[in-house]
Amino acid sequence: MSLFNYDTHFQDILETVHRDGRGRDFLPLKRHVGNFPTATANLPDGTQKDVIIWCSNDYLGMGQNPVIMDAMKNAINTYGAGAGGTRNISGTTHLMTELEESLCDLHQKEAALVFTSGFTSNEGSLGALLRLLPNDAVVFSDALNHASMIVGIRNGGREKHIFRHNDLEHLEELLQSVDIKRPKLIAFESVYSMDGDIAPIRAIAALAHKYNAMTYLDEVHAVGLYGPRGGGVAEQENIMDQIDIIEGTFGKAYGVMGGFITGSKTLIEAIRLHAPAFIFTTALPPAIIAGALASVEYLKTSDHERKKAHANARLLKSLMEKAALPYLKGDSHIVPLIIGDDQCCKAVTSVLLNEYDIYVQPINAPTVPKGTERLRLTATAAHSQAHIETLISNLTDLWENHGFAEQLRA
């Protein structure tokens, strides 16, 4: 009897992944301060070339904003490199206190809690919150919720109902199926990053009130970019007070890293004391906290970056419409270009890189359903009109001269 061969087992798994077109290759990039969205790519053959990035979540270019960079430099010169451990063991820097106070002000909430990433803030908060609710609690989750929310809900161990994406009728049907006396939580996002659409937040909040449910809103793709002070779509629609917990990140429009939640003092304190993802994780280093704080405060008053990013997104969509390119129409800044085949999706990105100096990652299954593979294009505040016009010209040329349109129709 032969022993189990671990290497062979995992090699078989990898071969299946690559055979199905789901392999993911990383292209090392060197971003240059002051020159975003241009970067130098280290190609597999050992050569380098300058490329234009079209898939960044640094929507406002804040990762290279001098105000943020200066704050981070000053912090590391003042406080050193690391946090020294978890907040429970090694203490909380005053910068963290200031950041959480700034987030309370941003969302007009009593309390805030910073995590090391958007993933851990969702996973840790939802898991802890649901475990703290009685055993008969029920959670209602949008079908397109992020993996971090799905993991958190699973870890919460409570009865779960999935409602069709942004489908209010289905959500209400599910809410009606549960005794109104049972504790309930509705978990959803504001901007859905793969489809680029926006949730009907006001209507969901109304259903939550009608059926005595709590609300948990993920605003990671919206904070900094929506609302008069960057509070997100809930701020833009003036309904932050109707949402129990707002979750966000510093890793996208704010240009740094980390995640957070805001809500009532009671809710946030309960999560702080019961979320392993917070309790047992080393705190963010001072430089990151300082950068996040500077970015949040900066975008409370500066609207220039938001206006530029949204104007660029509108221009990109209008030119894609004129070019008859198959993009998903939505109200957000995210523009998904549907390819619909995993091998073709990877081929498109390879041609864009090799022939047009455009860097964009393919989005294949299981990130999106099989048959809906796509490019997720983001026109940031740092892109110029010339960048956008060149992209459309290149995509049109690719579609017409490389046979992708015919291949997809087949």
Side-chain angles (χ1 to χ4, degrees), residues 7 11 35 72 143 188 190 221-222 233 283 353 356 368 370:
D7 285 341
Q11 185 60 42
N35 202 29
M72 297 180 74
F188 63 110
S190 58
H221 288 277
V233 179
L353 176 66
Y356 301 100
V368 295
K370 192 169 180 61

Side-chain angles (χ1 to χ4, degrees), residues 73-320:
K73 293 172 188 175
N74 291 336
I76 202 166
N77 288 335
T78 303
Y79 306 108
T86 68
R87 288 173 69 181
N88 283 355
I89 291 175
S90 301
T92 292
T93 170
H94 76 97
L95 289 172
M96 185 70 84
T97 302
E98 292 177 19
L99 176 56
E100 290 177 341
E101 289 174 350
S102 177
L103 294 169
C104 291
D105 170 67
L106 177 68
H107 288 148
Q108 296 297 292
K109 299 293 186 183
E110 292 179 339
L113 188 65
V114 170
F115 290 76
T116 53
S117 72
F119 192 104
T120 56
S121 60
N122 268 336
E123 184 275 323
S125 300
L126 282 166
L129 181 62
L130 289 170
R131 287 191 298 272
L132 289 171
L133 289 173
N135 290 336
D136 65 341
V138 186
V139 58
F140 301 85
S141 176
D142 188 285
L144 294 189
N145 275 345
H146 190 265
S148 57
M149 301 177 75
I150 294 171
V151 172
I153 289 169
R154 182 185 302 130
N155 291 345
R158 298 295 180 258
E159 182 180 323
K160 174 182 66 177
H161 295 276
I162 299 174
F163 60 94
R164 291 186 293 270
H165 176 54
N166 282 348
D167 190 327
L168 295 171
E169 290 186 4
H170 189 220
L171 173 58
E172 182 162 24
E173 178 184 323
L174 292 173
L175 287 165
Q176 288 174 337
S177 70
V178 175
D179 189 331
I180 196 169
K181 295 179 182 178
R182 294 177 67 182
K184 293 174 285 295
L185 173 70
I186 303 174
F188 63 110
E189 302 181 35
S190 58
V191 176
Y192 286 86
S193 65
M194 290 299 120
D195 283 11
D197 54 352
I198 295 177
I201 301 175
R202 186 178 299 277
I204 291 176
L207 286 176
H209 179 75
K210 181 178 180 180
Y211 293 96
N212 191 35
M214 293 177 61
T215 46
Y216 182 103
L217 175 62
D218 176 319
E219 290 253 39
V220 295
H221 288 277
V223 287
L225 190 54
Y226 293 82
R229 300 200 309 155
V233 179
E235 184 196 26
Q236 181 171 284
E237 298 184 4
N238 195 29
I239 53 171
M240 290 191 296
D241 63 325
Q242 298 178 42
I243 304 298
D244 292 298
I245 295 179
I246 297 176
E247 185 267 350
T249 185
F250 307 118
K252 295 179 172 58
Y254 287 123
V256 197
M257 71 170 291
F260 64 89
I261 56 171
T262 63
S264 71
K265 184 176 181 180
T266 301
L267 270 176
I268 302 305
E269 182 76 353
I271 291 171
R272 182 178 73 84
L273 295 175
H274 291 87
F278 172 81
I279 297 169
F280 299 105
T281 301
T282 298
L284 290 172
I288 297 296
I289 302 169
L293 174 59
S295 191
V296 171
E297 287 297 308
Y298 177 94
L299 288 171
K300 286 180 182 178
T301 58
S302 178
D303 204 32
H304 167 74
E305 293 82 3
R306 279 190 285 273
K307 288 180 178 178
K308 182 69 184 300
H310 289 300
N312 281 345
R314 288 192 296 269
L315 176 60
L316 176 59
K317 290 177 184 179
S318 67
L319 294 181
M320 292 185 81

Side-chain angles (χ1 to χ4, degrees), residues 20 157 163 188 200 239 247 251 267 327 337 351 358 378:
D20 292 345
F163 60 94
F188 63 110
I239 53 171
E247 185 267 350
L267 270 176
Y327 77 100
L337 176 64
V351 173
I358 287 174
T378 53

